[in-house]
Amino acid sequence: MKIVIVSDTHRDLTKIQEVLRTEKADLYLHAGDSCLSANEIYPFISVKGNCDYFPYTAFVSEYTPIGKIVVKHYPFTLEEINTFVERGYSIFVFGHTHKKLSYKTDSYYVFNPGSLTLPRDGDEGSYLVLNIENNKLTFEFKNI
């Protein structure tokens, strides 16, 4: 299973379209602040960011071969993570900070894809690609 995740694109549809031309995936997720409608960013499934005015939900969750993935815009609290882990979640993704992040524990992963258009951790916009094969997760941050 291949999952492509972007965040904080702030109305830049050209960068989203470039990712779609570059990456063929089973699932496309957006961690908020697209500032665009669901139709405009399709096939990305998005959560509501602090700059979004469209009716997105606060969380999106999907099943993966290694457990459920949950996406939201703001960073997770430890209490939230513990609650989700008890419910079978093993991959946590958030946006908002515009900075890439990957963190692994014995029972879960935490990721931030960074910002595709307004990075705060370098000169190039970034996104995240997760690959899950044979019950193993690998990931790669890619730049636009």
Side-chain angles (χ1 to χ4, degrees), residues 10-22:
H10 295 277
R11 297 195 62 78
D12 194 332
L13 189 55
T14 60
K15 297 278 177 86
I16 294 171
Q17 291 169 339
E18 187 173 340
V19 170
L20 288 171
R21 280 191 302 275
T22 304

Side-chain angles (χ1 to χ4, degrees), residues 64 66-70 84-85 88-92 107-110:
T64 78
I66 62 167
K68 293 183 259 183
I69 183 172
V70 61
F84 278 113
V85 167
Y89 288 82
S90 60
I91 306 169
F92 299 86
S107 56
Y108 62 85
Y109 297 84
V110 178

Side-chain angles (χ1 to χ4, degrees), residues 1-4 24-29 45 61-69 91 129-139:
M1 175 178 214
K2 182 176 180 180
I3 305 169
V4 173
K24 302 303 177 221
D26 301 299
L27 181 62
Y28 296 91
L29 300 171
I45 301 167
S61 65
E62 297 285 335
Y63 288 93
T64 78
I66 62 167
K68 293 183 259 183
I69 183 172
I91 306 169
V129 177
L130 303 179
N131 282 295
I132 303 170
E133 292 183 30
N134 301 319
N135 290 324
K136 182 180 178 195
L137 183 143
T138 58
F139 67 92

Side-chain angles (χ1 to χ4, degrees), residues 1-126:
M1 175 178 214
K2 182 176 180 180
I3 305 169
V4 173
I5 306 168
V6 301
S7 187
D8 297 281
T9 53
H10 295 277
R11 297 195 62 78
D12 194 332
L13 189 55
T14 60
K15 297 278 177 86
I16 294 171
Q17 291 169 339
E18 187 173 340
V19 170
L20 288 171
R21 280 191 302 275
T22 304
E23 303 289 347
K24 302 303 177 221
D26 301 299
L27 181 62
Y28 296 91
L29 300 171
H30 196 300
D33 278 357
S34 72
C35 306
L36 298 167
S37 71
N39 288 339
E40 291 174 290
I41 65 169
Y42 181 83
F44 282 93
I45 301 167
S46 187
V47 297
K48 187 173 185 67
N50 58 298
C51 295
D52 286 317
Y53 297 99
F54 294 95
Y56 292 115
T57 60
F59 294 91
V60 166
S61 65
E62 297 285 335
Y63 288 93
T64 78
I66 62 167
K68 293 183 259 183
I69 183 172
V70 61
V71 180
K72 72 175 202 161
H73 187 63
Y74 295 103
F76 289 87
T77 66
L78 188 54
E79 183 178 337
E80 286 176 314
I81 288 175
N82 289 335
T83 299
F84 278 113
V85 167
E86 289 173 4
R87 296 177 181 160
Y89 288 82
S90 60
I91 306 169
F92 299 86
V93 178
F94 69 95
H96 189 62
T97 66
H98 296 227
K99 296 179 181 180
K100 296 181 292 293
L101 171 79
S102 64
Y103 180 79
K104 182 183 184 315
T105 71
D106 290 339
S107 56
Y108 62 85
Y109 297 84
V110 178
F111 294 104
N112 185 322
S115 172
L116 199 56
T117 59
L118 300 167
R120 293 182 183 151
D121 59 356
D123 294 332
E124 296 180 298
S126 63

